[in-house]
Amino acid sequence: MKVRDIAKKSVFSLEVFPPKKSYSPESISRIFDRLAALEPGFISVTYGAGGSNIQQNKTVELCRILKQDYHVEPVAHLTCFNSRKDEVLTMLELMKEQGIENILALRGDRSPDITPPGDFRYACELIDFIRSHTKEDEFDICAACYPEGHPECGSLKEDVLNLKHKVDAGVSLLISQLFFDNEDFYRFRELCDVAGIKVPIHAGIMPVTNKSQIERMVSTCGASLPKKLSRMMARYENNPQALMDAGISYATEQIVDLLASGVEGIHLYAMNRPKMAEKIKGNISSLLDARQ
């Protein structure tokens, strides 16, 4: 099923990542058993360990497991900045073989240890490439967006104009990077409306469960930390359970406000932590039911 159709019915989705060190089918099954039970509209799988090394990349394999064993629609991340065109074509063929219909097309992070081949510079080029090398309607393409602007872009307004180019290239759904102040998301959504971006925009929510991890993510994606959240992290950074509880509470508060404001979808960065995802889904279940 295409994401464009899922988005009309479901407003709750998840994101997971392939293991970076060791890959155990049993460990993945334990995670997927619990996440699938939450009945997400779809689960996106990040571009896995091994980067563009197709032999090591587990993204397509995990998508296949989700689709065939759990009957959950997967969205496969596909990055391009450090990939050659032939590698992207190979990944597309692998996806087609496994019946994967949805792609989250991304530029990918720059790495000081990797010299990019130069085949792709931006996600928009990847989207054009996918559209020109696949049959019409073979894949639904999603794209990322940045409520506070991409950190490499000069301004939020300029970033929204760049985003319009991605949407015009053939994007069905936008999924936002993490943010911690809903007002940033609402301002971004208004700018998208003015720019003529009409596809659904799902809000990406990442619960704070690890102070150093969040600070690292914030530094790479350009999100800001509200004072309220910074105080919470400083207070509980040495108490993992307290930080987990506080982070879940903060994320729940965000989601409640987003749903009340008519957000088109919530994309929870589950980080392969089913317990955290279960608690948040339990906190908002009645609100999701009210949206059906």
Side-chain angles (χ1 to χ4, degrees):
M1 180 182 289
K2 299 292 195 298
V3 160
R4 75 186 75 164
D5 298 318
I6 297 171
K8 295 174 183 176
K9 301 184 293 182
S10 175
V11 295
F12 181 73
S13 59
L14 301 169
E15 181 166 300
V16 298
F17 57 83
K20 294 181 179 179
K21 295 182 179 179
S22 60
Y23 176 74
S24 164
E26 293 76 18
S27 65
I28 289 297
S29 293
R30 286 194 293 270
I31 293 171
F32 283 179
D33 285 344
R34 295 171 67 178
L35 293 182
L38 299 179
E39 300 182 335
F42 62 86
I43 295 181
S44 69
V45 182
T46 65
Y47 203 59
S52 62
N53 188 323
I54 294 170
Q55 297 304 316
Q56 298 178 34
N57 195 297
K58 301 297 182 183
T59 301
V60 173
E61 182 178 350
L62 296 190
C63 285
R64 176 191 63 77
I65 292 171
L66 282 169
K67 189 176 184 74
Q68 296 182 8
D69 298 348
Y70 292 91
H71 307 292
V72 174
E73 198 62 42
V75 175
H77 289 216
L78 182 60
T79 65
C80 66
F81 189 68
N82 295 315
S83 299
R84 301 189 311 270
K85 290 181 178 179
D86 64 298
E87 291 174 322
V88 171
L89 286 173
T90 298
M91 290 298 293
L92 293 174
E93 286 302 316
L94 289 173
M95 292 177 193
K96 285 189 281 188
E97 289 172 7
Q98 301 301 332
I100 297 167
E101 301 179 84
N102 301 292
I103 296 172
L104 179 56
L106 305 162
R107 185 197 74 174
D109 297 330
R110 300 179 187 272
S111 172
D113 303 321
I114 300 175
T115 301
D119 287 14
F120 300 97
R121 296 171 299 164
Y122 307 109
C124 188
E125 295 174 347
L126 174 60
I127 295 166
D128 283 333
F129 185 80
I130 295 171
R131 288 296 183 215
S132 63
H133 287 81
T134 58
K135 297 177 182 177
E136 185 178 359
D137 211 36
E138 196 162 29
F139 290 107
D140 235 16
I141 301 178
C142 309
C145 58
Y146 292 75
E148 297 175 70
H150 194 284
E152 297 180 19
C153 197
S155 69
L156 178 58
K157 289 185 178 180
E158 180 184 347
D159 193 39
V160 169
L161 292 178
N162 292 335
L163 182 63
K164 180 67 162 57
H165 295 319
K166 287 200 289 188
V167 172
D168 290 345
V171 167
S172 301
L173 173 72
L174 295 172
I175 300 175
S176 88
Q177 258 292 2
L178 60 89
F179 61 93
F180 299 104
D181 186 338
N182 287 359
E183 294 305 317
D184 291 329
F185 181 81
Y186 299 144
R187 180 175 66 254
F188 168 76
R189 195 167 57 171
E190 289 174 358
L191 288 173
C192 286
D193 189 56
V194 171
I197 295 173
K198 302 302 181 183
V199 300
I201 304 174
H202 286 200
I205 299 296
M206 178 174 283
V208 175
T209 59
N210 181 291
K211 183 174 182 287
S212 60
Q213 179 191 52
I214 290 298
E215 290 176 338
R216 184 169 61 252
M217 291 291 295
V218 164
S219 68
T220 58
C221 73
S224 58
L225 290 173
K227 291 182 179 179
K228 176 181 177 180
L229 181 59
S230 295
R231 287 194 299 268
M232 183 193 83
M233 291 166 57
R235 176 68 178 84
Y236 300 117
E237 64 176 306
N238 296 317
N239 187 328
Q241 186 58 57
L243 183 58
M244 169 83 74
D245 292 343
I248 288 173
S249 176
Y250 191 97
T252 298
E253 183 179 333
Q254 273 193 275
I255 294 171
V256 169
D257 180 65
L258 288 164
L259 291 173
S261 299
V263 71
E264 292 162 299
I266 300 294
H267 188 66
L268 183 67
Y269 294 105
M271 300 179 290
N272 293 21
R273 294 187 176 183
K275 183 178 180 180
M276 176 267 288
E278 288 165 348
K279 286 189 174 183
I280 290 179
K281 178 66 184 296
N283 290 343
I284 63 172
S285 287
S286 62
L287 305 182
L288 295 174
D289 291 341
R291 289 286 299 271
Q292 300 302 316

